[in-house]
């Protein structure tokens, strides 16, 4: 099945959909460094990105005509800054709001399914009306906003159209969820809104994959059984005490026993086998594993503890945010995550190389969709579409 990837960035969502079985017929991204990251990996012979047609341009100028009738999936994460809690949160009034371009692609290509990713901030009460506007546009992409029509008037027209009886034309069934990447095995607490729209003529039901990893299982492994520390060969005298906020919860878990869920993955799980970046003779042998000096802790920016999933990696409007992209070591010292460590926290493959300066590569990673989260959602959707077609690839 064929896919078009919009707002591809360094390729996190695209890698996930490719790993799920979709073939990319267009990968669109305006940022030159992000495009060079993908092209570098193509030049290095990385199989998963082989043959991706990378288009380094503004999505507003992309012509979908040659792809019409050839696309099963559109996936993309429109720029999140208009809705980010860490940004200025101008929403629909922000010039970077690219949801209209996502809708245009759906309208012109009429794929079987659509995946859209964005930040948790989009679900805030202050954006509730615009959130409804986005969902209705995805459901009815052919009901286009008129040149002299405000978005509020367009919303009202969409609402009237949506509640009336029989409708003609292109239509999608849409569901969304706020997913935490840690719940799917990514070593990072990263909450993102995922929309999935399925064309209405595909008459089968689909639902989001259920979480596979839990905090409770991690707490059990750490403080009830001790298996976590044994696995990492941490001597008993060096193991930290159970945090007070978890003591009653751990006591209950110890009494009930561990359930079938897997444990959240921690920073230690993700990076413990990498060489210490202070030891440059060893770290230089690993792609993008160079220590960046200058990390410092201050209130509200204290780094990610080693034995928990990382805090959400962020891109930042003006360089790399401090605390969100730092490791808090057991001795209380902090340092920046290397690019390779950050790539691990975003579940990128180890042989995936990032192009650009440290600041630029960290921005690419802070904007990325965790590869494993993307793969989980896209694999479920791929299997669903394959069954809906009677087990035959449609393209």
């Amino acid at each position: 099945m064929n896919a078009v990837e919009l707002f591809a960035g360094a390729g996190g969502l695209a890698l996930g959909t490719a790993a799920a079985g979709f073939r990319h017929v267009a990968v669109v991204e305006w940022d030159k460094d992000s495009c060079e990251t993908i092209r570098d990996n193509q030049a290095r012979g990385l199989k998963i990105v082989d043959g991706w047609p990378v288009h380094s341009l503004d999505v507003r100028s992309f012509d979908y005509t040659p792809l019409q009738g050839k696309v099963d999936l559109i996936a993309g994460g429109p720029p999140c800054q208009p809705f980010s809690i860490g940004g200025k949160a101008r929403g629909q009034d922000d010039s970077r709001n690219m949801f209209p371009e996502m809708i245009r692609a759906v309208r012109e290509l009429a794929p079987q399914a659509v995946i859209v990713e964005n930040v948790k901030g989009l679900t805030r009460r202050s954006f509730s009306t615009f959130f409804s506007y986005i969902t209705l546009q995805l459901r009815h992409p052919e009901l286009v906003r008129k040149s002299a029509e405000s978005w509020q008037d367009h919303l009202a027209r969409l609402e009237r159209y949506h509640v009336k009886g029989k409708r003609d034309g292109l239509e999608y069934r849409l569901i969304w969820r706020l997913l935490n990447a840690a719940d799917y095995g990514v070593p990072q607490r990263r909450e993102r809104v995922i929309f999935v729209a399925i064309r209405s003529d595909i008459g089968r039901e689909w639902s989001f994959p259920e979480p596979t990893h839990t905090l409770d299982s991690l707490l059990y492994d750490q403080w009830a059984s001790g298996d976590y520390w044994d696995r990492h060969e941490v001597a008993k005298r060096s193991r930290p005490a159970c945090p007070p906020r978890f003591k009653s919860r751990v006591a209950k878990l110890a009494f009930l026993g561990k359930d079938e869920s897997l444990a959240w993955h921690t920073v230690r799980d993700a990076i413990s086998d990498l060489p210490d970046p202070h030891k440059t003779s060893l770290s230089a042998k690993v792609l993008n594993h160079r220590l960046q000096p200058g990390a410092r802790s201050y209130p509200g920016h204290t780094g990610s503890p080693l034995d928990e999933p990382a805090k959400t990696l962020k891109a930042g409007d003006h360089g790399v945010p401090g605390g969100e992209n730092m490791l808090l070591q057991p001795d209380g010292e902090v340092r920046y995550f290397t690019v390779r460590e950050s790539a691990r926290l975003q579940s990128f493959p180890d042989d995936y190389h990032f192009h650009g300066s440290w600041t630029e590569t960290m921005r690419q990673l802070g904007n990325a969709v965790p590869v494993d989260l993307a793969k989980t959602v896209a694999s479920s959707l791929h299997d669903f579409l394959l069954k809906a077609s009677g087990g035959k690839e449609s393209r």
Side-chain angles (χ1 to χ4, degrees):
M1 283 181 271
N2 293 336
V4 166
E5 181 79 22
L6 303 179
F7 318 105
L13 181 55
L15 287 169
T17 53
F22 290 98
R23 297 181 298 271
H24 293 300
V25 295
V27 175
V28 185
E29 171 57 45
W30 73 274
D31 179 70
K32 290 182 171 55
D33 283 304
S34 296
C35 290
E36 286 306 310
T37 286
I38 298 173
R39 288 174 177 144
D40 278 358
N41 286 290
Q42 290 177 325
R44 293 175 60 251
L46 201 63
K47 186 176 180 180
I48 196 167
V49 297
D50 182 44
W52 288 9
V54 179
H55 301 269
S56 182
L57 48 76
D58 189 321
V59 70
R60 289 172 289 194
S61 64
F62 191 74
D63 180 12
Y64 296 104
T65 305
L67 299 176
Q68 288 176 346
K70 303 175 182 178
V71 175
D72 300 284
L73 173 74
I74 294 175
C80 64
Q81 292 88 347
F83 310 98
S84 173
I85 293 172
K88 296 177 181 177
R90 292 173 178 162
Q92 62 270 18
D93 298 321
D94 195 308
S95 61
R96 296 169 295 182
N97 172 28
M98 289 291 147
F99 273 100
E101 286 303 311
M102 200 78 197
I103 307 302
R104 179 174 76 90
V106 175
R107 179 168 59 251
E108 295 188 15
L109 293 176
Q112 293 189 73
V114 184
I115 299 174
V116 182
E117 177 267 355
N118 217 271
V119 292
K120 178 183 179 181
L122 185 59
T123 65
R124 280 187 285 178
R125 180 176 296 179
S126 57
F127 290 137
S128 60
T129 304
F130 192 69
F131 189 93
S132 296
Y133 183 41
I134 291 168
T135 60
L136 284 171
Q137 287 181 94
L138 281 168
R139 287 184 171 110
H140 310 293
E142 291 183 328
L143 205 68
V144 181
R145 181 177 171 181
K146 299 174 182 177
S147 58
E149 191 175 34
S150 69
W151 74 264
Q152 293 93 338
D153 288 341
H154 187 210
L155 168 61
R157 188 157 57 90
L158 281 161
E159 289 171 337
R160 291 192 296 271
Y161 182 80
H162 184 69
V163 299
K164 79 174 190 177
K166 185 177 179 180
R167 295 181 291 267
D168 298 319
L170 186 62
E171 185 175 2
Y172 287 82
R173 298 190 304 275
L174 182 141
I175 58 174
W176 65 272
R177 260 196 213 181
L178 184 65
L179 302 182
N180 185 349
D183 292 339
Y184 297 89
V186 176
Q188 181 186 173
R189 289 186 181 96
R190 191 178 187 89
E191 291 185 299
R192 288 296 185 267
V193 181
I194 306 290
F195 300 88
V196 172
I198 298 172
R199 210 172 58 209
S200 60
D201 62 316
I202 301 172
R204 292 172 60 92
E205 296 179 355
W206 181 86
S207 61
F208 280 96
E210 291 304 313
T212 51
H213 296 65
T214 65
L215 170 60
D216 278 355
S217 286
L218 174 61
L219 293 177
Y220 185 92
D221 285 354
Q222 288 178 325
W223 313 114
S225 71
D227 289 346
Y228 174 85
W229 309 109
D230 292 340
R231 185 171 71 252
H232 287 292
E233 300 181 344
V234 178
K236 289 186 178 180
R237 64 180 179 276
S238 301
R239 299 176 185 181
C242 178
R245 70 184 187 277
F246 290 137
K247 282 188 175 180
S248 61
R249 192 168 180 176
V250 169
K252 182 178 180 181
L253 291 169
F255 176 76
L256 295 174
K258 188 177 180 180
D259 62 22
E260 295 182 356
S261 64
L262 300 171
W264 271 3
H265 289 170
T266 68
V267 175
R268 192 191 293 266
D269 288 328
I271 71 172
S272 62
D273 64 329
L274 290 171
D276 185 341
H278 291 92
K279 299 177 181 178
T280 56
S281 61
L282 296 175
S283 63
K285 298 177 182 179
V286 179
L287 280 176
N288 298 124
H289 192 47
R290 181 174 64 85
L291 184 66
Q292 181 72 18
R296 62 186 181 88
S297 181
Y298 53 95
H301 298 268
T302 54
S304 294
L306 183 62
D307 294 305
E308 299 177 18
K311 297 178 180 179
T312 303
L313 295 184
K314 296 181 181 178
D317 285 336
H318 306 288
V320 178
E324 291 85 353
N325 296 354
M326 293 191 310
L327 169 64
L328 174 61
Q329 301 177 98
D331 62 3
E333 293 296 312
V334 296
R335 67 167 175 81
Y336 284 121
F337 287 119
T338 68
V339 171
R340 179 51 47 201
E341 289 169 335
S342 299
R344 287 266 185 105
L345 299 176
Q346 286 281 57
S347 57
F348 277 85
D350 277 351
D351 53 357
Y352 200 78
H353 178 261
F354 290 85
H355 173 89
S357 67
W358 181 76
T359 299
E360 176 51 41
T361 52
M362 292 297 283
R363 181 179 288 113
Q364 291 175 40
L365 281 159
N367 281 327
V369 179
V371 177
D372 285 354
L373 177 62
K375 180 183 176 182
T376 297
V377 175
S379 293
S380 175
L381 193 55
H382 182 276
D383 291 348
F384 162 77
L385 294 176
L386 199 58
K387 289 177 182 177
S389 66
K392 297 179 181 180
E393 292 273 357
S394 59
R395 312 288 180 189

